[in-house]
Amino acid sequence: MQLLGDRILCKKVNTEVKSTSGLILPTNYNQENDYVVVEIGNKVKHIKPGDKIRKFKNSIGIPIVDKGIDRLILKESDDIEFVMD
């Protein structure tokens, strides 16, 4: 698949979240909008594959299934809230 413009292909982050006291929180806790970048378009400036990003809560993006895995296509200019460390 070739992404055009400032499009970003990403997948959902699936990591365990622990509270400060060591309790394991549900997987959707504070991660409903967190993704890892898989592939980028030719006009993406500030994001590279492997970066962790957070999409705007009101952004839907374009959901697709790529090689049997649920992915999401976002636009760098409109859909990305910030890049996480």
Side-chain angles (χ1 to χ4, degrees), residues 6 15-17 23 25 29-30 32-34 37 40 44-45 47 51 61 66-67 72 78 82:
D6 68 342
T15 57
E16 244 179 27
V17 178
L23 295 173
L25 302 172
Y29 179 80
N30 202 21
E32 60 212 29
N33 297 315
D34 294 352
V37 176
I40 60 172
V44 174
K45 297 177 183 176
I47 297 173
D51 282 350
D66 180 35
K67 299 175 187 167
L72 188 66
D78 299 335
F82 64 86

Side-chain angles (χ1 to χ4, degrees), residues 2-8 40-43:
Q2 178 65 37
L3 295 173
L4 301 175
D6 68 342
R7 301 293 196 273
I8 299 167
I40 60 172
N42 57 350
K43 293 187 179 178

Side-chain angles (χ1 to χ4, degrees), residues 26-85:
T27 55
N28 62 353
Y29 179 80
N30 202 21
Q31 289 185 325
E32 60 212 29
N33 297 315
D34 294 352
Y35 292 85
V36 173
V37 176
V38 175
E39 192 175 325
I40 60 172
N42 57 350
K43 293 187 179 178
V44 174
K45 297 177 183 176
H46 306 290
I47 297 173
K48 62 187 181 306
D51 282 350
K52 293 180 183 175
I53 61 171
R54 178 166 288 166
K55 74 177 184 73
F56 282 114
K57 291 185 185 216
N58 61 350
S59 172
I60 298 170
I62 303 169
I64 64 166
V65 177
D66 180 35
K67 299 175 187 167
I69 301 171
D70 291 332
R71 310 264 181 164
L72 188 66
I73 296 177
L74 299 170
K75 287 179 72 176
E76 180 183 36
S77 59
D78 299 335
D79 300 327
I80 307 300
E81 189 171 348
F82 64 86
V83 178
M84 300 182 300
D85 292 333

